[in-house]
Amino acid sequence: MEKNAPKSRSKLFIENFLVYGVGGTLSRLIPFVMLPILTRLYPSSSYIGINDSVNLIVTFASQIAIMGVYDAMYRYYFEQESVEYHRKITSSALILLLGSGLIVALLICIFHNSLERLAFGQKTHTGLIYIVSATTYLTTLNTIIAAPTRMRNQRVRFLAVNFITSAFSYAITIVMVYKGFYITAMPLAAMLAVFLSTVVFWYFNRGEFAFKSANGHSMKMLLKLGLPCVPSFTFYWILSSAQLVFITNMIGIEATGIYAVGAKLASISQLIYSAFAAGWQYFAFSTMKDKDHIQLISRIFDYLAGISFFATCTVTLFAKPIFGLLFPVTYEEGAWVMPMLFLAPLVQMLYQTLGAQFWVVKETTKGAFCLLIGTACAIITDVLLIPVVGIRGAAVAGLFGFTVALTIMVILLLRRRLIVLSKRALVAMLLCYATVILFTSKSNIFVYAGCAVFSLLAIILMYWRDAVLLLRGLFRAT
């Protein structure tokens, strides 16, 4: 049994990765198809900028409302196999978020003037703030209500609901845009979509929740583990989203829209990230008691690094022609930020792969420290570069911040002997970063393309044997 364990775990990880990856492709296919259409339907890039600013507030506010309880719930869920224990954990988490979500939603309404100026650069979109408030509350609840589907690893159901709600959201968006509701179309559609998702997941998972099962001890336990992570989630938000605030207030909402289009096209990397994130917590915590857990996580980090850096070098080769084909010339500057924005979520994925080690040993404050340093570096870079090179400075800042956080995380884990770092992952990273930097600095096409091709060949030479062995192991496991 011990001998076959690695095969079954490899199968579990790869199945999760592939199923969530393919499913994520389907659910994200709609936004990719709709993005070029919307850039032509909207009279100005400012409307896309406004929508991304709305998403910015919702993401931040909902993470504050969640208070780290979702991840804490995930961690404790696998402590015992008892159905009653599971219901106690999920119900306690839901009770907490019913209250915290309402408080945050009300605070958004109370401080709407300041939020409007910060997110939109002016106080002219009060109606949007109330949509943001409702969406935040629904997103907070949906996170917990949908969780049992993921914790039971019901992949097809989870992905089907996401696909249906995505299609529903864009159908409403198109109708409203045609009617001339440019400002409220996407935010209102997103609110209705998350409402639909919450209702559907409640129908499927209602048996996992019972208010009478909730208790004070479980709530304290969840808060004790989750609250120290709130700074980490805040730093995540700053690293991945605050660039929009800097661009809006330093350059203008139109530039935010152009940056947002580059980010949305670059979000194809979210297919890799989503495939990882959707199944990672289940895998990491369900294997945390295995004797070779450290070697297992280290090996997965090595493979994910190879995939991430290979994919980024490939995207760098085709970023300019694809962008020119899909979008009007007014969005051209967005092409130069695409590779960096493609890479940033993948570096975040690598960070979270290692960060799970501190969750396993219940030392969650270490992650906050790493992200704090990375966030400080990103903010300084934003302030220095955006006035000089525009939206490219914002892209550099986000990637730089995540890279600093990942570097510090690696150092801390190596000292604790909680990770084993391969040399080829480091080499692949250096080659990839060189390629992306050359592209973003607008070097000659032969320079950055030559570097990209060389990097791709080097990564293939370093990883191809392991890729073949991994696939053979998967087929034998089946």
Side-chain angles (χ1 to χ4, degrees), residues 353-375:
T353 304
L354 301 184
Q357 293 297 80
F358 282 126
W359 274 90
V360 170
V361 297
K362 299 179 182 178
E363 296 179 11
T364 53
T365 55
K366 296 290 195 305
F369 171 75
C370 298
L371 290 170
L372 171 62
I373 304 300
T375 300

Side-chain angles (χ1 to χ4, degrees), residues 51-210:
N51 177 68
D52 267 56
S53 295
V54 168
N55 294 337
L56 186 82
I57 302 173
V58 171
T59 302
F60 176 72
S62 59
Q63 287 299 331
I64 294 298
I66 291 170
M67 304 183 296
V69 168
Y70 170 78
D71 292 87
M73 176 187 69
Y74 226 115
R75 170 63 180 82
Y76 282 117
Y77 190 87
F78 292 95
E79 286 280 357
Q80 299 179 24
E81 297 297 328
S82 166
V83 173
E84 183 55 39
Y85 171 80
H86 289 169
R87 189 177 291 116
K88 179 172 64 177
I89 294 297
T90 53
S91 302
S92 298
L94 181 58
I95 291 292
L96 285 171
L97 267 57
L98 280 168
S100 64
L102 181 60
I103 292 171
V104 171
L106 291 175
L107 288 174
I108 290 173
C109 295
I110 293 170
F111 296 103
H112 66 88
N113 288 335
S114 299
L115 286 173
E116 287 171 45
R117 282 191 289 267
L118 181 65
F120 310 122
Q122 54 185 326
K123 184 183 174 298
T124 57
H125 303 299
T126 302
L128 284 181
I129 293 298
Y130 298 118
I131 295 176
V132 167
S133 176
T135 306
T136 297
Y137 191 50
L138 289 169
T139 301
T140 301
L141 298 183
N142 185 61
T143 300
I144 294 299
I145 292 171
T149 299
R150 291 178 63 173
M151 290 188 292
R152 293 193 300 265
N153 211 27
Q154 295 174 329
R155 298 167 293 198
V156 175
R157 176 179 292 180
F158 182 80
L159 294 169
V161 174
N162 284 341
F163 177 79
I164 292 170
T165 54
S166 178
F168 175 75
S169 174
Y170 277 93
I172 294 175
T173 298
I174 289 295
V175 171
M176 293 190 67
V177 169
Y178 269 117
K179 294 289 186 181
F181 297 100
Y182 299 121
I183 293 177
T184 56
M186 294 181 74
L188 184 60
M191 183 192 75
L192 295 175
V194 73
F195 174 77
L196 175 63
S197 175
T198 304
V199 170
V200 172
F201 277 121
W202 177 258
Y203 174 78
F204 286 132
N205 299 329
R206 63 190 185 280
E208 293 286 330
F209 300 96

Side-chain angles (χ1 to χ4, degrees), residues 189-462:
M191 183 192 75
L192 295 175
V194 73
F195 174 77
L196 175 63
S197 175
T198 304
V199 170
V200 172
F201 277 121
W202 177 258
Y203 174 78
F204 286 132
N205 299 329
R206 63 190 185 280
E208 293 286 330
F209 300 96
F211 290 142
K212 63 180 181 181
S213 297
N215 61 73
H217 174 72
S218 297
M219 292 182 191
K220 290 179 181 178
M221 188 171 65
L222 291 169
L223 289 173
K224 183 177 180 181
L225 185 60
L227 278 177
C229 299
V230 173
S232 295
F233 296 130
T234 304
F235 299 145
Y236 272 129
W237 177 84
I238 294 174
L239 284 170
S240 60
S241 304
Q243 280 70 35
L244 295 173
V245 175
F246 284 104
I247 294 171
T248 299
N249 289 276
M250 297 174 77
I251 305 178
I253 196 70
E254 291 81 8
T256 302
I258 295 172
Y259 181 88
V261 169
K264 287 182 184 299
L265 188 60
S267 69
I268 189 172
S269 65
Q270 294 284 352
L271 300 178
I272 301 174
Y273 176 79
S274 299
F276 160 81
W280 177 245
Q281 286 175 312
Y282 176 85
F283 179 85
F285 294 139
S286 63
T287 62
M288 65 184 179
K289 296 179 182 179
D290 294 354
K291 293 180 180 179
D292 63 339
H293 182 74
I294 292 174
Q295 289 74 21
L296 179 66
I297 300 302
S298 301
R299 190 162 61 250
I300 289 173
F301 175 83
D302 182 31
Y303 294 156
L304 290 176
I307 293 171
S308 300
F309 300 135
F310 181 87
T312 302
C313 290
T314 303
V315 165
T316 304
L317 282 174
F318 301 103
K320 281 287 292 179
I322 290 175
F323 213 89
L325 179 66
L326 294 178
F327 302 109
V329 68
T330 52
Y331 292 88
E332 182 181 10
E333 187 66 16
W336 296 108
V337 302
M338 182 184 167
M340 279 206 172
L341 296 178
F342 179 93
L343 179 57
L346 300 180
V347 176
Q348 179 183 353
M349 174 184 72
L350 295 175
Y351 173 87
Q352 291 176 336
T353 304
L354 301 184
Q357 293 297 80
F358 282 126
W359 274 90
V360 170
V361 297
K362 299 179 182 178
E363 296 179 11
T364 53
T365 55
K366 296 290 195 305
F369 171 75
C370 298
L371 290 170
L372 171 62
I373 304 300
T375 300
C377 292
I379 292 174
I380 293 171
T381 306
D382 274 318
V383 173
L384 293 177
L385 291 187
I386 290 178
V388 180
V389 294
I391 62 174
R392 287 183 293 147
V396 171
L399 178 59
F400 181 53
F402 274 123
T403 302
V404 170
L406 175 62
T407 302
I408 298 173
M409 175 67 76
V410 168
I411 293 172
L412 291 177
L413 289 172
L414 286 174
R415 287 182 176 179
R416 290 284 306 275
R417 296 183 179 180
L418 291 173
I419 191 71
V420 179
L421 183 65
S422 71
K423 292 181 180 178
R424 66 181 180 181
L426 181 60
V427 172
M429 183 190 76
L430 293 174
L431 290 171
C432 176
Y433 274 61
T435 301
V436 171
I437 290 171
L438 287 172
F439 180 89
T440 308
S441 61
K442 298 185 177 180
S443 298
N444 184 280
I445 184 173
F446 295 105
V447 175
Y448 72 74
C451 186
V453 171
F454 175 79
S455 300
L456 288 170
L457 292 174
I459 294 171
I460 289 172
L461 287 173
M462 289 188 291

